Amino acid sequence: MSDVKQLAEAVWYRGYCPTLEELEGLRRTADRQQFQRMLCVLELLSQYPVCQSKTARHLQMLTEQFHAQLFGAVTRPTHGRYSPSRRWGLDETSGPLRKALLPLQTRTYADATGRTHGLSA
């Protein structure tokens, strides 16, 4: 989970947004399950309010594009309750991941970073 927390910090607070080229490179080097897990995490990160709108839109565009390549027809996730892990064909649930991210997405934590984030005014 520490690698997911590091990715969340980079995306939410340091302005990191993976490029299409980076994800294509990862797709070539990772096995399919690892790649799908990474896309699931990126999609999940884009849905938290702490993610800046521009970054969220970019991540959602990238994940939709890869979802269409991997699974065929694009099925846009509905906001609210849905299973990102099931959408990405993963065996594990996203519950532990969400729980690990919870402390990083609070306003108190976000403001303590001193950086702009999705909860910034």
Side-chain angles (χ1 to χ4, degrees), residues 100-114:
L101 293 174
L102 185 63
L104 302 180
Q105 55 92 31
T106 64
R107 181 177 291 281
T108 302
Y109 183 90
D111 289 345
T113 66

Side-chain angles (χ1 to χ4, degrees), residues 23-113:
L23 291 178
E24 287 288 357
L26 179 62
R27 185 178 186 181
R28 287 189 295 275
T29 59
D31 69 35
R32 184 177 170 112
Q33 192 77 2
Q34 290 172 319
F35 186 61
Q36 287 172 210
R37 187 174 293 113
M38 174 58 70
L39 292 169
C40 178
V41 168
L42 289 173
E43 181 179 292
L44 193 60
L45 292 178
S46 76
Q47 295 174 351
Y48 282 86
V50 73
C51 189
Q52 292 188 35
S53 297
K54 181 180 175 182
T55 302
R57 283 190 304 274
H58 178 75
L59 291 175
Q60 290 166 6
M61 185 246 348
L62 285 175
T63 56
E64 283 180 27
Q65 182 176 343
F66 281 106
H67 193 275
Q69 289 175 15
L70 294 169
F71 298 100
V74 175
T75 56
R76 293 191 115 205
T78 57
H79 289 289
R81 299 184 62 91
Y82 81 101
S83 173
S85 55
R86 195 171 320 140
R87 173 174 146 74
W88 288 99
L90 303 174
D91 294 331
E92 68 268 11
T93 66
S94 60
L97 173 61
R98 290 175 192 269
K99 192 172 190 174
L101 293 174
L102 185 63
L104 302 180
Q105 55 92 31
T106 64
R107 181 177 291 281
T108 302
Y109 183 90
D111 289 345
T113 66

